[in-house]
């Protein structure tokens, strides 16, 4: 299993212009993203910003939280070669993680994005004197027009995305015409 220090090593590899890495697969390496220092995460993200060969990044089940995904999306706005990003089954929430996606999606060059397994925060509950927030295991669209409209607008503003995977068939269906439009453009 890799550690947070491994992010620095991976970042150094990704940043090397003479090493043409096309794919990085960190599936299940939760310790990589378990409280990385600002420097460790920063070096990894800076490498993603400037890389010109990486086409696939798989961070499935890596324990990535909302704040890290926000920084990841910011870094990927600068990367024009990454085509596939897999973020399924992390610790991302609908409330915050999806918001970061909606803000960033129009600026990303991705053709495939996987974000299955988003979580939703339940109402705070009292446990003795302390207040706790329950996180359920997966998110389904609440059907609210606001959530759906914001996602649909973000997808419509992205001319690259041809495949987007969520646990929600409602969101998939409402975004499918834009994905098809992009697929036709890329063929």
């Amino acid at each position: 299993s890799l550690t947070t220090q491994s992010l620095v090593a991976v970042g150094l590899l990704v940043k090397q212009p003479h090493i043409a890495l096309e794919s990085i697969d960190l599936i299940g390496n939760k310790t990589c993203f378990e409280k990385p220092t600002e420097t460790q995460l920063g070096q990894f993200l800076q490498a993603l910003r400037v890389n010109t060969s990486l086409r696939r990044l798989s961070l499935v089940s890596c324990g990535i939280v909302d704040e890290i995904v926000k920084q990841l999306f910011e870094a990927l706005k600068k990367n024009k070669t990454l085509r596939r990003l897999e973020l399924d089954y992390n610790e991302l929430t609908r409330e915050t993680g999806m918001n970061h996606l909606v803000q960033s999606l129009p600026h990303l060059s991705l053709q495939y994005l996987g974000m299955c397994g988003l979580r939703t925060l339940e109402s705070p509950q009292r446990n003795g004197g302390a207040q706790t927030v329950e996180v359920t295991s997966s998110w389904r669209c609440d059907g609210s027009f606001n959530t759906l409209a914001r996602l649909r607008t973000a997808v419509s503003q992205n001319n690259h995305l041809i495949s987007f995977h969520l646990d929600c068939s409602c969101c998939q269906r409402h975004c499918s015409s834009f994905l098809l439009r992009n697929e036709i453009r890329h063929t």
Side-chain angles (χ1 to χ4, degrees):
S1 182
L2 302 175
T3 66
T4 53
Q5 188 57 38
S6 303
L7 285 178
V8 175
V10 171
L12 288 172
L13 283 172
V14 169
K15 207 171 184 177
Q16 297 299 315
H18 63 279
I19 299 176
L21 282 176
E22 289 190 16
S23 180
I24 295 178
D25 185 341
L26 296 175
I27 293 175
N29 280 291
K30 291 185 181 201
T31 53
C32 273
F33 295 95
E34 190 175 277
K35 298 179 186 171
T37 66
E38 193 173 306
T39 301
Q40 291 167 330
L41 184 60
Q43 288 182 354
F44 177 70
L45 296 175
Q46 177 57 26
L48 291 177
R49 268 185 205 94
V50 300
N51 179 275
T52 58
S53 65
L54 193 63
R55 300 196 45 80
R56 178 182 169 268
L57 179 60
S58 183
L59 302 173
V60 174
S61 193
C62 285
I64 294 174
V65 295
D66 291 332
E67 186 53 38
I68 291 176
V69 88
K70 176 183 180 182
Q71 294 175 55
L72 176 66
F73 284 145
E74 282 301 313
L76 293 179
K77 285 180 184 179
K78 305 286 186 207
N79 184 307
K80 299 302 176 200
T81 58
L82 189 68
R83 295 293 175 252
R84 183 178 187 95
L85 177 61
E86 300 163 5
L87 289 170
D88 305 289
Y89 305 106
N90 278 291
E91 303 300 317
L92 305 175
T93 64
R94 174 181 68 116
E95 294 80 3
T96 307
M98 181 61 87
N99 189 45
H100 296 318
L101 168 68
V102 166
Q103 291 172 0
S104 301
L105 191 57
H107 311 285
L108 299 177
S109 296
L110 300 172
Q111 290 181 335
Y112 172 91
L113 177 60
M115 286 186 67
C116 290
L118 290 179
R119 297 167 181 256
T120 190
L121 299 175
E122 296 293 326
S123 302
Q125 299 177 1
R126 294 272 178 205
N127 184 6
Q131 193 175 24
T132 62
V133 177
E134 179 74 21
V135 177
T136 61
S137 61
S138 84
W139 166 68
R140 293 286 187 265
C141 178
D142 60 4
S144 79
F145 182 73
N146 186 40
T147 302
L148 193 53
R150 290 181 63 229
L151 179 61
R152 186 178 160 94
T153 299
V155 171
S156 75
Q157 293 171 351
N158 181 301
N159 293 319
H160 305 283
L161 198 64
I162 57 177
S163 183
F164 179 37
H165 295 274
L166 282 173
D167 290 331
C168 177
S169 59
C170 176
C171 290
Q172 293 277 163
R173 187 173 53 256
H174 281 85
C175 295
S176 64
S177 63
F178 300 110
L179 300 176
L180 181 59
R181 172 203 67 191
N182 293 345
E183 187 173 6
I184 291 169
R185 285 181 180 170
H186 290 284
T187 29

